[in-house]
Every structure is written in structure tokens, then in C-alpha cells.
Amino acid sequence: PSTGTLKTYRLEGAARIDSGIEQGKVVSPFYDPMLAKVISHAADRGTAIAALREAFEDSRLLGVKTNAGFLTRCLANAAFVAGKVDTGLIEADLAALTAKPPLKSLDGLKGKLNWSGPAPGGFRLNAAPAEHAVIFVDGAPREASFTQAQALADQGGAPTLFEGGEAYQAGLVPAVTAAS
């Protein structure tokens, strides 16, 4: 990982998690570079891998850079799952293992709607109810339901969604970056 404050730190699942750090703590430059050991034991390789993969897929890590997404993809790699690996595994599939995939689902917004206005459901005067809206995930536009867009507005417009060990920033407007 990188240095910084662990704003969100959740590792759990069927695997054993050994960690000496917790949410809110600072990862300094004087640290063991491993935030946690994630350990799995099972009767067969597939079951052990599934437990490890679940732990990394469901992880919630924010504030420092980690390799949780990479490990999730590595644990899904066909050669790794089959046990047909050598020291060239990462180099052989480097692009697929290191590229952050696009967010598949906006399900992380479900259940977060807390409507306080008088017109739920996208009501618009003299028009059909709004059913779709555009939101931005990691700066890229995505079509969302009105309910999902309203959930973003109710949260101040900038929650983090987690999927596959990766963090995705969502918002109602695209992120502004400094021009070079």
C-alpha cells in the first residue's frame, strides 16, 4: 500500500484475516508494507481460492493504494485456478491483471435513498416522470435510474462504491482535474 490514513478499512469473509491496523489509523513510511495476511485453508484448491477471492472482492479499502483489486483478478485467472502457474503468470497476463475494470453495477446505491422532498419518483410538472439520469463514476458518464441519482444527491453527491476489491468515486458532476 501507499502511505496515508485508512479512511475505510474492511476485510472479512470466510478467509482468516490477520492484521495489525484498523480504520482511522495512519500507514506511515515506517511500516511493514503488508496491511493484512489473508489466509485460506480448505479440502481442495477451488474452495480455498473461492474463500480468498470473496475476502478481496468484498473488501472496502480507502485512503491508501492497495493491491486488493489485482489480487481479486489474480485469484480469478484461469491458469492460477488450475494450478498451472510459474513466475511468468503476471507478465503473461499483465494488462488484464493490472487494469482497473469499469464498475459493473450501481447496486452499491441501493437502499441509500432517503427522500425528503415532496415529489418522489422523478415527478416533473407537465411531463412524464424522470426514470433515468446521468451520473459519473470515476469521471465517466453512466446511465442510472432516477432513484440512484437521487441517492447520490441525498448523500451529498460523492459516495464511494466498492466492487471486486476496487474503489469507484461516484458523483452528479464529473470530477475536475487540474490542467497541465
Side-chain angles (χ1 to χ4, degrees), residues 34-104:
M34 183 170 37
L35 294 177
K37 282 193 271 184
V38 183
I39 307 156
S40 177
H41 175 76
D44 60 82
R45 180 178 180 83
T47 305
I49 289 172
L52 288 173
R53 190 165 175 207
E54 177 187 346
F56 288 113
E57 283 180 342
D58 293 343
S59 68
R60 305 288 186 265
L61 303 163
L62 195 59
V64 298
K65 293 179 184 177
T66 73
N67 64 351
F70 166 81
L71 293 171
T72 298
R73 292 183 291 279
C74 189
L75 290 164
N77 178 280
F80 183 85
V81 171
K84 297 179 180 180
V85 297
D86 57 33
T87 57
L89 171 73
I90 295 171
E91 184 179 356
D93 210 5
L94 187 63
L97 292 173
T98 59
K100 181 179 178 179
L103 183 70
K104 293 178 198 165

Side-chain angles (χ1 to χ4, degrees), residues 11 16 19 33 44-45 61 63-64 83 86 105 116 123 131 138 167:
L11 283 170
R16 176 178 155 185
S19 181
D44 60 82
R45 180 178 180 83
L61 303 163
V64 298
D86 57 33
S105 170
S116 59
F123 173 80
E131 295 178 6
D138 281 354

